[in-house]
Every structure is written in structure tokens, then in C-alpha cells.
């Protein structure tokens, strides 16, 4: 089955700097890669996703890149703000009936 | 998207008792899942709740401990049976509206077992 590794487990950045979180996956058949943000005491929420036929996707200050050959994908947050502080989870799946497999999460702290 | 109501939001229970968590969705969804999130940890899938049939459990989770019902396409329950302090965790219901890709999560049930 799929296995997703996520690094780093914690990340602190100064406000305005960029943050990068990286994930690797094991199943070359996986074709959908979402990222979830979980603020303290809240539910996880989907913030961006990418499919295997695309190499990069952007949405304002966040972007995700995918390298299928190396089986890794990354979340990039630019111009970080204190409200970006949260735990971020990557996930991977082969679209069908199997459920998402999540990484262990990255706790991002943006220091004002 | 989907609006998910999960209850109770939190509970404190005694060892050896059982708690049933309810998940109600405002529209019919194809797939419903139950996750466990221990403090500071990731999301661990307990099982997929199948409408009209037995749930599909992940390795390490069994029906006797976590019985699940899904009588229709908008409702599911998870029971945590014969609880011990190790069951203290947040339990999350999640749904996939069309395919198994985009998941929406309930607000979670924070369970503490004394």
C-alpha cells in the first residue's frame, strides 16, 4: 500500500519569509496529492491539491509542485503571515475506492 | 462541499464504558470514513463506513472494538467500546462527495477516558 513521508516535522519562519514542506510517496500509481491545513483545535481543511498530469499549481501565496519521477511533492508558502501558523498534512492516493494516506504532518510557526 | 455535523464534540468517559459518535451530512455522499487523531499526531484511518454493509477496517482496528454503522448515504456512527485511557483521542468523521479524493472533515469528537 501507499506510504507517505513528510518533512520537516516542525518549521519556524519569520513573517514574510517562505516555507517549504516536502513529501515523498511510495506507490507510483498514486495520481492525486492534496494538502490539508489544520489550525489548533480545528478540523483539517483542504487548501490545495495537484494531479499527476500537472507539475505545478498555484493559488495566491501557496503552490504545490510534483515530481513524478522522484515521487515527491512539495508545498510552498510565500510571504508567510502569522495566520499561516498551523499543522499541514500532505496525502496521496490512487483515485478510485482506496482512502487517502496522510503524512505525519508539519507544524509551521510564523514568527511576527 | 458538504456540511458535516458530528456529535458529541467532547466527552469524558469511564474506563470500560462505550461511547457512540454520530456523523450527519447535509447531502448524500459516496464515501464516509472515520479517522483517529492522537495528540500531536497525524490522521489514522480507522475504517471506511460502507452503506448497507459491514465497514472496511484498517490494520490494527477491529469491529468488536470500533463497531460502525452506516444505514444510509448521509449518516454514520462509530462506537468506541470497552474504553481504556489509550483510546483518549480525537475521532473525526470525513466524507468524500463524489470521488474518494477531496475529503471534508467533521469538527471532531475529543474523547478522554479516565
Amino acid at each position: 500500500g501507499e506510504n507517505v513521508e513528510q518533512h520537516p516535522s516542525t518549521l519556524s519562519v519569520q513573517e514574510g519569509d517562505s516555507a517549504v514542506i516536502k513529501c515523498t510517496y511510495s506507490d507510483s500509481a498514486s495520481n492525486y496529492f492534496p494538502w490539508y491545513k489544520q489550525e489548533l483545535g480545528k478540523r483539517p481543511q483542504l487548501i490545495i491539491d495537484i494531479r499527476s498530469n500537472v507539475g505545478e499549481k498555484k493559488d495566491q501565496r501557496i503552490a504545490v509542485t510534483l515530481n513524478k519521477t522522484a515521487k515527491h511533492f512539495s508545498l510552498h508558502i510565500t510571504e508567510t503571515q502569522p495566520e499561516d501558523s498551523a499543522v499541514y498534512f500532505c496525502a496521496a492516493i490512487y483515485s478510485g475506492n482506496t482512502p487517502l494516506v496522510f503524512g505525519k504532518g508539519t507544524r509551521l510557526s510564523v514568527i511576527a | 462541499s458538504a456540511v458535516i455535523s458530528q456529535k458529541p464534540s467532547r466527552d469524558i468517559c469511564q474506563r470500560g464504558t462505550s461511547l457512540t459518535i454520530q456523523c450527519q451530512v447535509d447531502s448524500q455522499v459516496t464515501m464516509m470514513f472515520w479517522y483517529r487523531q492522537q495528540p500531536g499526531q497525524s490522521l489514522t484511518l480507522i475504517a471506511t463506513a460502507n452503506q448497507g454493509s459491514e465497514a472496511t477496517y484498517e490494520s490494527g482496528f477491529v469491529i468488536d472494538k470500533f463497531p460502525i454503522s452506516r444505514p444510509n448515504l448521509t449518516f454514520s456512527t462509530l462506537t468506541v467500546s470497552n474504553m481504556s485511557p489509550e483510546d483518549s483521542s480525537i475521532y473525526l468523521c470525513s466524507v468524500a462527495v463524489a470521488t474518494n479524493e477531496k475529503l471534508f472533515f467533521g469538527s471532531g469528537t475529543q474523547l478522554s477516558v479516565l
Side-chain angles (χ1 to χ4, degrees):
Chain A
E2 178 63 274
N3 182 51
V4 178
E5 299 285 339
Q6 183 172 348
H7 299 280
S9 57
T10 60
L11 179 60
S12 291
V13 299
Q14 290 291 128
E15 182 178 1
D17 287 351
S18 296
V20 180
I21 303 170
K22 298 180 179 180
C23 290
T24 60
Y25 61 98
S26 61
D27 188 349
S28 57
S30 290
N31 59 359
Y32 176 71
F33 308 92
W35 286 87
Y36 285 79
K37 175 183 180 181
Q38 187 176 29
E39 297 178 40
L40 187 63
K42 302 288 184 62
R43 73 191 78 189
Q45 293 195 307
L46 177 68
I47 56 170
I48 196 168
D49 55 11
I50 192 168
R51 297 183 185 281
S52 59
N53 60 347
V54 176
E56 184 176 6
K57 183 177 180 181
K58 289 183 180 180
D59 183 2
Q60 299 183 344
R61 294 187 297 107
I62 61 173
V64 57
T65 58
L66 171 65
N67 183 327
K68 283 198 66 180
T69 303
K71 292 192 285 187
H72 66 70
F73 57 111
S74 300
L75 178 71
H76 304 252
I77 306 174
T78 59
E79 301 173 25
T80 53
Q81 301 168 3
E83 50 265 39
D84 295 327
S85 296
V87 179
Y88 293 81
F89 295 99
C90 63
I93 194 173
Y94 174 69
S95 292
N97 291 322
T98 57
L100 280 174
V101 177
F102 286 90
K104 292 188 181 300
T106 297
R107 182 174 300 277
L108 173 64
S109 299
V110 180
I111 304 165
Chain B
S1 65
V3 177
I4 305 168
S5 300
Q6 185 176 338
K7 59 181 181 181
S9 57
R10 62 179 64 237
D11 207 342
I12 300 172
C13 300
Q14 295 297 319
R15 181 194 301 259
T17 63
S18 297
L19 175 71
T20 295
I21 304 167
Q22 298 181 3
C23 180
Q24 178 74 55
V25 191
D26 68 338
S27 59
Q28 294 186 346
V29 295
T30 54
M31 305 182 82
M32 296 182 77
F33 306 96
W34 288 97
Y35 283 86
R36 183 173 73 183
Q37 187 174 32
Q38 295 180 307
Q41 301 297 311
S42 186
L43 301 155
T44 301
L45 181 65
I46 298 171
T48 302
N50 300 309
Q51 192 263 330
S53 64
E54 189 172 292
T56 304
Y57 289 85
E58 297 299 305
S59 176
F61 298 96
V62 296
I63 187 171
D64 289 348
K65 176 66 175 177
F66 298 101
I68 288 170
S69 77
R70 189 180 174 192
N72 55 53
L73 293 176
T74 64
F75 185 77
S76 178
T77 66
L78 167 74
T79 299
V80 186
S81 302
N82 188 24
M83 288 183 285
S84 67
E86 292 72 36
D87 295 319
S88 297
S89 188
I90 296 173
Y91 293 85
L92 292 151
C93 166
S94 73
V95 306
V97 175
T99 70
N100 61 326
E101 295 174 349
K102 298 183 191 292
L103 288 190
F104 298 93
F105 286 87
S107 54
T109 297
Q110 184 162 348
L111 171 62
S112 298
V113 184
L114 304 179

